[in-house]
Amino acid sequence: MKVTFIGLGTMGYPMAGHVSKAGHDVTVYNRTTAKAQAWSEEYSGAFALTPALAAKDAEIVLTCVGNDADLRAVYLGEEGAFHMAKAGTLFIDHTTASAEVAKELSAVAKDRGFLFMDGPVSGGQAGAVNGVLTVMMGGEAAPLAMAQPVLDCYAKSTTLLGPVGHGQLAKMVNQILIGGVLSGLSEGVRFAQKAGLDMATLVDTLKHGAAGSWQLENRGETMAKDEFDFGFAIEWMHKDLTLCLAQADKMGLSIPLTKAVDEDYQALMAEGRSRQDTSVLIKALDNKA
């Protein structure tokens, strides 16, 4: 298929690479042109100088950028992807953003004869590099079926959660759960250290029981060693949790643990830890000792 990928950050760069390696005709766009050029030299594909030119002849346009404002710029800006796309083009956004912006872009797409779905991903940088991401989709079944061969290039699981916006809502739940797990894991790791338990043996034991989790298995030992350089920076988690808290407020729902976790991340960012991994949450616990 003729595919465009807009946004070659930590996630987008390898995701677009998987699509190219699968044999699809890929054109990429990135705000920093040098990165798009580097991608085109590493993989088989072309790069465009604007989102509009990138999307011009595509059957499917995939986006993975930073936030709501970035999305509006690459879709609706003067040189946005909606301006030169052909009727029937399917747009799938993998950005973690608000449900509102997904609905906004979907409405504009419908008016212009396009299809739009939101599809935020989970799995982090390693999931993108290894092509095993989880994709949470909002939209209709028919366009998802059309896009499935492309999504399969970098996803191990793709699930339709409901209409447009539901992918973003599901991703918010994902981030709420991660924050809660890391909060408990932080306390557990420090408790284990004070008790003199061997962390490697403990993690290997607990991962098979009811306390088992991806975070325990992949971050338990590294948290104990104060190693926090694993890709998903807390400045991005703060952005995501801000979305969660805003959505909860709109629904009249209190999520106090998520609020506390986000406040801890903000304090850690103020210490200069913005680019460290989400598991650095354990250092906030140390600061309260």
Side-chain angles (χ1 to χ4, degrees), residues 62-117:
L62 307 166
T63 54
C64 190
V65 294
N67 53 38
D68 287 20
D70 294 328
L71 280 174
R72 291 188 177 97
V74 299
Y75 277 94
L76 305 174
E78 280 188 26
E79 298 176 314
F82 279 169
H83 289 309
M84 297 181 71
K86 61 185 181 182
T89 299
L90 170 58
F91 291 85
I92 298 177
D93 177 44
H94 290 310
T95 308
T96 296
S98 70
E100 283 70 28
V101 78
K103 294 174 185 177
E104 175 187 333
L105 294 175
S106 178
V108 176
K110 185 176 181 180
D111 287 343
R112 300 189 185 186
F114 310 139
L115 300 166
F116 179 89
M117 302 186 76

Side-chain angles (χ1 to χ4, degrees), residues 42-66:
E42 183 175 350
Y43 299 100
S44 176
F47 70 94
L49 297 179
T50 68
L53 290 171
K56 183 178 179 182
D57 298 313
E59 297 170 77
I60 298 177
V61 177
L62 307 166
T63 54
C64 190
V65 294

